[in-house]
Amino acid sequence: MNDRILLAHGSGSKLSHDLIEKILTPPINNAILSRMDDSAVFELSGKLAFTTDSYVVNPIFFPGGNIGRLAVCGTVNDLSMSGAKPLYISLALIIEEGLEIDELRKIVESVRETAEEAGVQIVTGDTKVVNRGKADRLFINTAGIGVISAGLDISGSNAREGDKIILSGGIGEHGMAVMSQREGLQFRLPVVSDCAPLNKLVSEMLAVSSNIHSLRDPTRGGLASTLNEFAGQSGVGITIEEDKIPIHDGVRGACELLGLDPLYIANEGKLVAAVAPEDAQKVLSAMRMNKYAGQAAVIGEVTGERKGRVVLKTRIGSSRILDMPTGEILPRIC
Amino acid sequence: MNDRILLAHGSGSKLSHDLIEKILTPPINNAILSRMDDSAVFELSGKLAFTTDSYVVNPIFFPGGNIGRLAVCGTVNDLSMSGAKPLYISLALIIEEGLEIDELRKIVESVRETAEEAGVQIVTGDTKVVNRGKADRLFINTAGIGVISAGLDISGSNAREGDKIILSGGIGEHGMAVMSQREGLQFRLPVVSDCAPLNKLVSEMLAVSSNIHSLRDPTRGGLASTLNEFAGQSGVGITIEEDKIPIHDGVRGACELLGLDPLYIANEGKLVAAVAPEDAQKVLSAMRMNKYAGQAAVIGEVTGERKGRVVLKTRIGSSRILDMPTGEILPRIC
């Protein structure tokens, strides 16, 4: 086998089959995937969650992860934010001609490792190759299916007045890690992506409370976008306090240097929850036991004022509207 | 709104939300999609089929269709080939900065139209934008979920000795249509893509026979690939007769001109079935009533000889092994 991807690896030819059978499938294989039909087939019943995301992160390797880990985490997390237990994931690659096969191996190995950590199976996939200069090394799409326990109804539109807003940890780490890698920036305190599967965290939260109303992972557009989405979808106001929001010193320093606001920077291993006030403390305690949420904090609450808006109480005691981001923020972060 | 896609349309900003809410969602909206959470949520039970494909066809508009119609048909057809009734589709776009928004509208309109024809719903999606020169106008990924009737077990590995091989119509039309558009070729007889959703055809076939063993749509790699896959997966031999294979005169002429073998050219609206001999005639009759399979024909049979191999009986009476394609065939056909 050649050491770089050729156009022929994507054409349905023998070379395509070899790539799939020798490089892509073995690390992630399982009884469903190995059937090698046009569809994966399995039994499943109940209330299901179904989601998709494409990943176009640049560069494809960054401190704390790579596009493979990101693609599994992203879909696992989207399913988890509906309260679903993620089960089955699809993996579709669009490869630029010339990608080193060794890099592809590393990425598939990360996919395997992350899927194993999250307890999900890759059950179906697709591989396309486009000419040099017609993609940027590698794009990945994952879709996923999960099952939602009976009676559970978690949605961005379910936040209610009085709910506490809980954030699972420091913000902006993924965005700043990718940014520093892409721009070749060296910060005094290195920033590492928080990219992580959050399904176990969510199941630990659901185990202690049946009053978690909304869950979302603040990816593109950051914490500010997610809170604005909750406020808009639920028709409520949200007030958060700046000094309650955990931020790693490296992220804070890098953002100051670059004139960026960490509230708008992408996370890939954090979640925001709107939780009934009576359950907030026990949810918080459960979260802090999880390795991905040791810094979880109540950062604000849902109010009946300024519906559809998010208000930020700043460190110096003033208040301002925290808008939906406009413009391009950081492109190609996920 | 600008008339071209900007990087900011993919960044999670207000512009992203506008694109999704004003351009992408309205044509395809439904109760599940409109929830606008991270996952689509629906009730479903039984044996499910799950599949994914990315589409990187170049150009994105071609005679007989465009990348939007193709992306819906491809996933609907992959589900159908497992005997599943396709229900829910995801739609993930990777857009190159600079794409005209009017073109995007046309493609979304084709997605709507094709989904409606197939009776499926687009329930979740994703939009990414990459810098100019980092993708080729538009890539689409669709994943899909369908439900398989109890007792049905259709697989590329179920073909049995004696089965008849049925092909639903003329081969090579999609590949040659894309090729002619891309290369600016004018053939005497214009070739139009056969791109079509085949779920209704499959359900009509299943209604008349419970002895359909294998189904597959011969896309990349063409009829030759699909037959080799059946032979390999099922551990059988397959013999087909060249003069039984329907080929549109335009495809035949174009292939002769370009030195291509239509047996290796992609189809996007055809299927190949391995059917128990006693049911072949009634399956064929049912197929011929469907508008996408008027030219359906028995083209050969499954044998116990030369296991894993496909034998082609040529028009002049000789026999040769029909190999899996090697090399790159036609890139970026789907």
Side-chain angles (χ1 to χ4, degrees), chain B residues 175-209:
Chain B
M176 294 317 293
V178 172
M179 179 82 177
S180 66
Q181 181 74 14
R182 182 158 72 207
E183 309 295 340
L185 300 174
Q186 303 273 355
F187 302 123
R188 197 171 46 86
L189 294 167
V191 180
V192 174
S193 169
D194 57 344
C195 184
L198 300 179
N199 52 326
K200 284 167 193 167
L201 173 61
V202 170
S203 76
E204 288 155 15
M205 294 166 68
L206 292 173
V208 299
S209 170

Side-chain angles (χ1 to χ4, degrees), chain A residues 21-327:
Chain A
E21 283 166 23
K22 294 181 187 161
I23 309 284
L24 300 178
T25 307
I28 55 175
N29 210 0
N30 56 64
I32 299 173
L33 181 63
S34 65
R35 235 174 86 111
M36 286 292 157
D37 276 323
D38 284 337
S39 299
V41 174
F42 44 79
E43 297 272 346
L44 201 57
S45 287
K47 193 156 86 169
L48 306 186
F50 176 37
T51 192
T52 189
D53 261 315
S54 296
Y55 298 85
V56 298
V57 64
N58 168 31
I60 57 177
F61 292 90
F62 48 80
N66 61 49
I67 191 171
R69 179 165 173 82
L70 187 63
V72 176
C73 290
T75 287
V76 162
N77 292 349
D78 278 350
L79 292 171
S80 304
M81 300 307 140
S82 308
K85 175 180 159 62
L87 295 173
Y88 301 116
I89 306 285
S90 66
L91 180 72
L93 310 177
I94 298 176
I95 310 174
E96 185 188 8
E97 183 189 14
L99 183 73
E100 283 183 29
I101 289 180
D102 271 350
E103 295 199 300
L104 195 56
R105 278 186 212 273
K106 280 183 202 148
I107 287 162
V108 176
E109 177 52 28
S110 285
V111 165
R112 183 202 64 73
E113 198 175 273
T114 312
E116 194 170 288
E117 179 187 349
V120 297
Q121 291 185 295
I122 312 292
V123 294
T124 187
D126 178 53
T127 307
K128 294 289 191 304
V129 180
V130 298
N131 328 56
R132 219 176 264 268
K134 297 299 182 186
D136 199 5
R137 309 193 74 202
L138 178 63
F139 300 146
I140 297 184
N141 177 283
T142 47
I145 300 178
V147 61
I148 302 176
S149 297
L152 211 55
D153 179 24
I154 292 175
S155 166
S157 53
N158 288 353
R160 297 180 210 161
E161 195 177 330
D163 281 356
K164 297 295 181 189
I165 299 292
I166 303 179
L167 171 65
S168 67
I171 59 171
E173 292 160 22
H174 176 73
M176 294 317 292
V178 172
M179 179 80 176
S180 67
Q181 181 74 13
R182 182 159 71 206
E183 308 295 339
L185 300 173
Q186 302 273 355
F187 302 122
R188 197 170 48 83
L189 294 167
V191 181
V192 173
S193 169
D194 58 345
C195 184
L198 300 179
N199 52 326
K200 285 169 192 166
L201 173 61
V202 170
S203 75
E204 288 154 15
M205 295 166 68
L206 292 173
V208 299
S209 171
S210 52
N211 293 302
I212 297 172
H213 299 144
S214 306
L215 284 173
R216 190 156 295 170
D217 51 339
T219 56
R220 279 185 293 181
L223 181 62
S225 268
T226 295
L227 293 172
N228 271 284
E229 286 164 11
F230 282 178
Q233 283 182 263
S234 298
V236 297
I238 292 178
T239 299
I240 59 164
E241 298 178 49
E242 191 173 19
D243 62 5
K244 301 273 174 67
I245 300 168
I247 306 185
H248 179 272
D249 284 341
V251 172
R252 195 187 298 280
C255 279
E256 277 172 12
L257 203 69
L258 298 169
L260 295 170
D261 184 341
L263 291 166
Y264 292 96
I265 307 294
N267 311 277
E268 291 290 345
K270 296 295 166 352
L271 65 79
V272 187
V275 180
E278 65 275 20
D279 281 9
Q281 201 51 53
K282 63 183 176 189
V283 170
L284 196 62
S285 304
M287 290 175 76
R288 286 183 176 154
M289 304 287 287
N290 183 290
K291 67 174 170 176
Y292 294 128
Q295 285 195 285
V298 173
I299 62 163
E301 61 183 10
V302 178
T303 71
E305 292 153 35
R306 311 194 78 147
K307 286 179 180 166
R309 293 297 213 159
V310 179
V311 174
L312 178 75
K313 289 193 181 164
T314 67
R315 225 172 256 109
I316 56 168
S318 63
S319 285
R320 65 174 172 93
I321 297 290
L322 185 67
D323 268 321
M324 197 62 127
T326 52

Side-chain angles (χ1 to χ4, degrees), chain B residues 248-311:
Chain B
H248 179 271
D249 285 340
V251 172
R252 193 187 299 278
C255 279
E256 277 172 12
L257 202 70
L258 298 168
L260 296 169
D261 184 342
L263 291 166
Y264 292 95
I265 306 296
N267 311 277
E268 291 289 345
K270 295 296 168 343
L271 65 79
V272 187
V275 180
E278 65 274 20
D279 281 10
Q281 201 50 53
K282 63 184 174 188
V283 170
L284 195 63
S285 304
M287 290 174 77
R288 286 184 175 156
M289 304 287 286
N290 184 290
K291 66 174 170 175
Y292 294 128
Q295 285 195 283
V298 173
I299 61 163
E301 61 183 9
V302 178
T303 71
E305 292 153 36
R306 310 194 78 146
K307 287 180 179 167
R309 296 296 214 158
V310 179
V311 174

